[in-house]
Amino acid sequence: MLTDRDRIEKQKQSLSLVRLHRALSRLTSTVTMMNTGAHPDDEHNGLLAYLRLGLGMRVIVACSTRGEGGQNALGPERLGALGIVRSREMEEAARELDADIHWLGHGPEDPIHDFGFSKNGDRTFDRWGEKRIVERLVRAYRAERPDIVLPTFLDVPGQHGHHRAMTRAAETAIHLAADPVAFSEHFGEGLTPWQVAKFYLPAWPGGGDTYDDEVPPPATTLPLDAAGLESVSGVSYAHIGEWSRYYHASQGMGRWHDIGDNEWPLHLKLSARGSVTETSILESLPSTLADLAREADLRQTVVDALMRADGAISKAIERFPERSAIVDALLKAAAEIERALAEAPAAFLDAHGHRLRRKLVEIDVALCEAEHVFVRAVADPADLSPGSIGKLTLHLSGDACTAISDADMRLPEGVSASLKETSPHRIVYELKSAADAPLTRQFLPVWSSLGGNGNAFVAVRAQIGSRLAEVAVDLEELLVVAPQHSLSLQPNAFIVPVEGDRQELLVKAASAGRIGFSAPAGWTIKEENGLLRLSPPAMITAGLVAITPLVDGQPAMRTSPIAYPHIGRTSFREPELLRVLALDLKLPDGAKIGYVGGGADRVGLWLDRMGLDVTELDAQTLSGDLSRFTTIVIGIFAFGIRKDLAAATARLHRFVEEGGHLLTLYHRPSDGWRPDATPPRRIDIGSPSLRWRVTDPTSEVTVLEPTHPLLQGPNRITSADWDGWDKERGLYFAARWDDAYVPLVAMHDPEEQPLKGALLSAEIGKGRHTHTSLVLHHQLDKLTSGAFRLIANLVQPA
């Protein structure tokens, strides 16, 4: 449940007059625009802020993945948990823009997911399925009915393969969405063919630090000027766009610009009206109710109703912030729109009925804002388990106390509500979850700026003048049906040697349920007061053993809480497994390791589980005596995240000079990496990074220095150690380096030149600095055998 401070923060960020003004500005346009992208944070936030808040358009972000294959600059969440974080970030970013989201991919188990990085759209289609992603875009076009579609990036070499695939699929889907034969299964679901009127491409390159478009962008056909300020906030659209990007914090977004981008050159690639010369993005589109009134074959009564509705909306906006005048005007507008819907011919309604029906929903929201109809819906607890009981309280304030006529609970399958208490300021319902209630979905398909989000919401009806307005009220925190008992195994993975003595493995098992295991042949598992003792067999074969724990006779689920100030509290659940990786692993003698992390990897944890002597270095330890360590490991992004680490750079250099071994894991150029100051000798990280990574996890690795001590011991690294890697080989390779460094390996993606900056090492003074761009942290999480053998070598004393 939210704390008092949480609620105060939310209230401060959502002021009544701003909400009312934006609710009115929605009514000015009947145009819908869709921005297609591959990941949360791909959207053109500044442009979308202008189109929505400046021109009044409905704006939708159509996103193919949840970003679950990316990196996390905030904390330890990876894969599915990261997908939850980035989905929530996208929702909050959309809230800042007053935009909607249509998700095309539904999490890491869905074929359309973020699998890291590809440099080719065809390779992305190999993973996603081209027909599958096109079908989902066709469905999105038919469901959302955008007039304008604009992909974020161009389909050109030098661009992310996910971006290229999305742009190509977005264009292919334009034709198929209008085809009365294509994907006819949609029509049984109530969808109908839809013709997108305009398909634009960005007429600017998608370069920068990451990408490197090899061909110039298409010619500008429409230079869109997004200058000016939003009248209610007095803030530029570029800055509002950056307010939105601020929520993509796990990707390091949110940058201050004194003057943001105001020019957005567009290229009109396809138009339903053929070749057109434009002076406005709204040209040839029915952008207002008055424009709709000019459609052919409309009887005069419909024309008059639409014109009167248009005039009433204009009056409501003119009278802002006079709430009573706004209400009177909106009531008239709603009545006229309903008259037009009742009397318009079928052909008009097929083409434009969705615009009028959405205007009625938007008017209801604006009426409730103008009348101070405020409802706060709180579920306690926010997570129910099958067979449990909770409550849902509607807190009423302002005019809601007298205006609310009734409320309809929209609840997850298997959950019911019964009225328990009614008073002038609150309504309380008891929630019951059936014993067989299914667990709720973690990745929902849409998010709406008008509310009605999550697995549960409340449809509230309020009598305002002559109109019974209905609005969807989201719950303060998402209501979920989760497993009755979560199981947390600490640790839930072990590394054991194939040869030599193997100690009994101890696991703490935390669950309120009855825990059980099905032990593999040769293993014994004993439980003593929540402590599990695992004994491996006398003879063990190299490889991974996965043991499925049970809770109350069912496969156990692990629920991991997620909490960040910018997205609030949520969680991620996944099957809990106990994994044991047996491998031929030798540890370096006498290694005492200091690990400096920024929360973006778990390398220190894995080094400890390997059996090494590891100490987490905080600011105080970094400023103390470092000579007690043989090796210091710097985690990914850490120089950009930890100011105390940046301040300790000179001490780290001295540590190396005096005989220590410094191992730095990959950093982006933007992560506080100063080529001539951060490493002991100069190392330049390649930019744009697309050119300096190897995305094929099966790419051949050429050993350049086979006799180098880091490749010879304590584990002799062979070709087998490069087998079974997941997602990719490495990122942010070094492009140039001081002559002191020796490149140890070379690798490349298909049809590219070998890159030698994945693993560099230099003898400096009495010590050594090693820098690697290999994705070792991810391979350790995936229990890739070779990564453990290699990092054991990399942390050996100098």
Side-chain angles (χ1 to χ4, degrees):
M1 184 175 293
L2 298 187
T3 66
D4 291 346
R5 293 189 65 85
D6 292 334
R7 291 184 178 124
I8 290 170
E9 286 292 333
K10 289 172 71 72
Q11 186 182 53
K12 285 170 59 180
Q13 295 170 17
S14 181
L15 301 178
S16 177
L17 278 181
V18 174
R19 293 198 310 268
L20 176 57
H21 189 276
R22 291 181 175 176
L24 293 173
S25 74
R26 292 187 189 116
L27 304 175
T28 60
S29 177
T30 54
V31 171
T32 295
M33 180 272 184
M34 180 178 285
N35 182 198
T36 63
H39 318 98
D41 80 16
D42 279 354
E43 69 276 8
H44 293 309
N45 305 71
L47 173 60
L48 301 186
Y50 171 70
L51 296 178
R52 165 59 197 91
L53 303 175
L55 299 184
M57 291 184 189
R58 180 191 178 200
V59 166
I60 306 167
V61 177
C63 191
S64 61
T65 78
R66 305 304 180 115
E68 61 268 55
Q71 302 161 92
N72 185 357
L74 291 181
E77 292 83 11
R78 292 288 179 277
L79 301 175
L82 178 57
I84 293 290
V85 171
R86 296 192 68 184
S87 296
R88 283 288 300 120
E89 289 181 332
M90 182 73 252
E91 291 169 359
E92 293 304 317
R95 190 191 309 278
E96 198 69 59
L97 299 173
D98 198 37
D100 299 338
I101 308 171
H102 190 110
W103 295 104
L104 304 171
H106 308 303
E109 304 305 317
D110 188 66
I112 298 174
H113 66 277
D114 182 1
F115 54 86
F117 200 96
S118 71
K119 300 176 182 176
N120 187 296
D122 291 333
R123 299 293 76 77
T124 300
F125 283 144
D126 289 344
R127 297 284 294 267
W128 288 356
E130 184 172 7
K131 182 178 179 181
R132 182 182 291 112
I133 187 63
V134 168
E135 183 273 331
R136 293 191 187 181
L137 275 162
V138 168
R139 183 185 296 274
Y141 292 169
R142 288 171 172 174
E144 308 290 2
R145 297 196 153 202
D147 302 289
I148 300 167
V149 171
L150 170 66
T152 297
F153 296 98
L154 297 169
D155 177 18
V156 296
Q159 190 52 245
H160 194 323
H162 297 181
H163 299 162
R164 297 185 65 181
M166 270 299 291
T167 298
R168 196 183 314 169
E171 182 172 349
T172 301
I174 297 287
H175 307 284
L176 294 173
D179 187 338
V181 176
F183 300 112
S184 57
E185 65 271 19
H186 294 176
F187 308 142
E189 303 167 16
L191 300 177
T192 57
W194 176 249
Q195 178 64 66
V196 174
K198 297 181 183 183
F199 179 75
Y200 289 98
L201 291 175
W204 64 86
D209 293 337
T210 305
Y211 311 122
D212 183 22
D213 292 1
E214 292 183 10
V215 298
T220 299
T221 62
L222 178 65
L224 190 64
D225 183 2
L229 307 177
E230 186 199 22
S231 59
V232 70
S233 64
V235 177
S236 73
Y237 300 108
H239 281 129
I240 294 174
E242 207 58 38
W243 291 359
S244 175
R245 294 198 73 71
Y246 155 88
Y247 286 99
H248 295 299
S250 68
Q251 306 306 295
M253 302 295 176
R255 309 287 174 82
W256 177 260
H257 303 283
D258 287 324
I259 300 175
D261 291 330
N262 292 323
E263 298 293 331
W264 299 91
L266 302 178
H267 173 81
L268 184 61
K269 178 73 181 295
L270 300 173
S271 172
R273 301 198 177 189
S275 178
V276 295
T277 301
E278 297 183 301
T279 58
S280 166
I281 194 171
L282 296 173
E283 204 158 305
S284 75
L285 297 177
S287 59
T288 65
L289 293 176
D291 288 341
L292 293 179
R294 300 184 185 101
E295 291 286 307
D297 302 324
L298 284 181
R299 67 181 68 172
Q300 191 60 42
T301 56
V302 176
V303 171
D304 293 344
L306 291 172
M307 293 301 294
R308 286 193 294 267
D310 188 80
I313 288 172
S314 297
K315 183 177 181 181
I317 293 170
E318 290 169 4
R319 299 299 295 272
F320 177 85
E322 300 175 42
R323 294 179 181 270
S324 60
I326 290 170
V327 169
D328 291 343
L330 292 182
L331 290 173
K332 180 177 180 180
E336 297 295 350
I337 291 172
E338 288 185 328
R339 181 175 293 110
L341 280 169
E343 298 183 12
F348 176 87
L349 294 178
D350 287 343
H352 303 297
H354 66 286
R355 305 181 200 274
L356 301 185
R357 288 187 289 271
R358 181 168 179 88
K359 283 290 160 280
L360 290 176
V361 176
E362 292 171 347
I363 285 173
D364 281 355
V365 171
L367 281 169
C368 288
E369 287 290 357
E371 282 286 274
H372 291 296
V373 176
F374 176 74
V375 180
R376 186 164 56 87
V378 182
D380 183 20
D383 54 336
L384 296 173
S385 59
S388 67
I389 296 176
K391 68 177 180 179
L392 193 153
T393 304
L394 304 184
H395 296 271
L396 313 180
S397 60
D399 293 334
C401 301
T402 56
I404 297 293
S405 62
D406 66 342
D408 184 15
M409 304 292 108
R410 309 295 171 88
L411 299 170
E413 181 183 352
V415 178
S416 59
S418 56
L419 183 62
K420 287 298 180 183
E421 178 186 335
T422 301
S423 67
H425 293 282
R426 71 176 193 165
I427 305 172
V428 181
Y429 298 85
E430 183 181 75
L431 300 178
K432 287 186 177 181
S433 176
D436 59 352
L439 305 184
T440 47
R441 295 175 63 175
Q442 299 193 91
F443 296 95
L444 298 171
V446 294
W447 188 90
S448 173
S449 58
L450 298 179
N453 300 301
N455 296 297
F457 64 93
V458 185
V460 174
R461 283 174 284 273
Q463 189 67 47
I464 302 176
S466 59
R467 183 168 180 79
L468 186 63
E470 180 174 316
V471 292
V473 177
D474 291 342
L475 272 59
E476 192 172 67
E477 290 186 295
L478 293 177
L479 176 67
V480 299
V481 178
Q484 181 176 9
H485 300 302
S486 170
L487 175 63
S488 174
L489 300 178
Q490 295 295 336
N492 62 358
F494 288 95
I495 312 301
V496 299
V498 171
E499 298 179 357
D501 295 334
R502 285 183 293 276
Q503 296 180 345
E504 190 177 53
L505 308 178
L506 301 180
V507 183
K508 291 182 179 179
S511 178
R514 177 173 47 83
I515 303 171
F517 287 87
S518 178
W523 288 75
T524 60
I525 303 177
K526 298 178 181 178
E527 181 184 359
E528 295 178 6
N529 300 321
L531 187 67
L532 303 176
R533 299 180 178 274
L534 284 77
S535 298
M539 299 291 292
I540 189 169
T541 304
L544 181 65
V545 175
I547 302 172
T548 301
L550 305 175
V551 174
D552 295 338
Q554 299 295 318
M557 301 291 288
R558 179 190 185 100
T559 301
S560 302
I562 299 171
Y564 292 103
H566 66 304
I567 61 172
R569 285 186 288 274
T570 183
S571 63
F572 175 67
R573 65 174 183 269
E574 59 188 328
E576 178 68 302
L577 288 174
L578 180 59
R579 299 176 299 165
V580 181
L581 176 64
L583 74 163
D584 178 12
L585 175 67
K586 298 177 179 63
L587 301 180
D589 292 334
K592 293 185 179 297
I593 300 166
Y595 166 71
V596 185
D601 66 58
R602 303 198 301 165
V603 170
L605 171 69
W606 288 116
L607 293 173
D608 179 71
R609 289 187 184 177
M610 289 164 62
L612 289 160
D613 182 344
V614 182
T615 301
E616 294 263 358
L617 303 188
D618 57 17
Q620 182 177 357
T621 314
L622 271 175
S623 64
D625 180 15
L626 301 179
S627 64
R628 62 191 177 99
F629 301 107
T630 64
T631 310
I632 293 178
V633 180
I634 310 296
I636 64 172
F637 306 157
F639 278 104
I641 295 172
R642 288 186 50 172
K643 294 180 180 179
D644 61 314
L645 174 60
T649 301
R651 297 175 55 77
L652 293 173
H653 291 185
R654 190 161 58 251
F655 167 78
V656 172
E657 296 278 356
E658 294 175 354
H661 188 182
L662 176 66
L663 172 63
T664 49
L665 307 185
Y666 75 64
H667 277 65
R668 300 168 293 195
S670 60
D671 290 325
W673 185 273
R674 294 182 295 159
D676 58 350
T678 302
R681 299 290 184 271
R682 187 179 181 98
I683 296 178
D684 290 273
I685 308 300
S687 180
S689 68
L690 173 115
R691 303 294 183 192
W692 301 96
R693 62 178 72 198
V694 175
T695 63
D696 182 357
T698 66
S699 63
E700 183 179 355
V701 176
T702 301
V703 177
L704 302 176
E705 298 287 337
T707 61
H708 195 279
L710 295 184
L711 300 179
Q712 285 296 309
N715 303 285
R716 184 171 177 271
I717 303 302
T718 70
S719 59
D721 290 302
W722 302 103
D723 293 341
W725 281 50
D726 182 76
K727 196 169 73 166
E728 58 221 342
R729 289 288 193 202
L731 306 171
Y732 311 110
F733 282 30
R736 293 166 298 279
W737 47 85
D738 186 276
D739 290 343
Y741 291 97
V742 177
L744 304 186
V745 295
M747 58 192 71
H748 62 90
D749 277 326
E751 302 177 4
E752 294 186 1
Q753 294 299 310
L755 298 176
K756 299 181 180 181
L759 182 57
L760 309 172
S761 193
E763 294 182 21
I764 298 172
K766 298 179 181 179
R768 178 180 295 280
H769 173 226
T770 301
H771 180 73
T772 181
S773 301
L774 299 169
V775 290
L776 291 175
H777 73 290
H778 178 76
Q779 305 309 322
L780 299 179
D781 284 345
K782 300 298 288 187
L783 296 184
T784 305
S785 297
F788 286 93
R789 288 166 45 82
L790 178 58
I791 202 166
N793 287 15
L794 298 185
V795 298
Q796 64 182 285

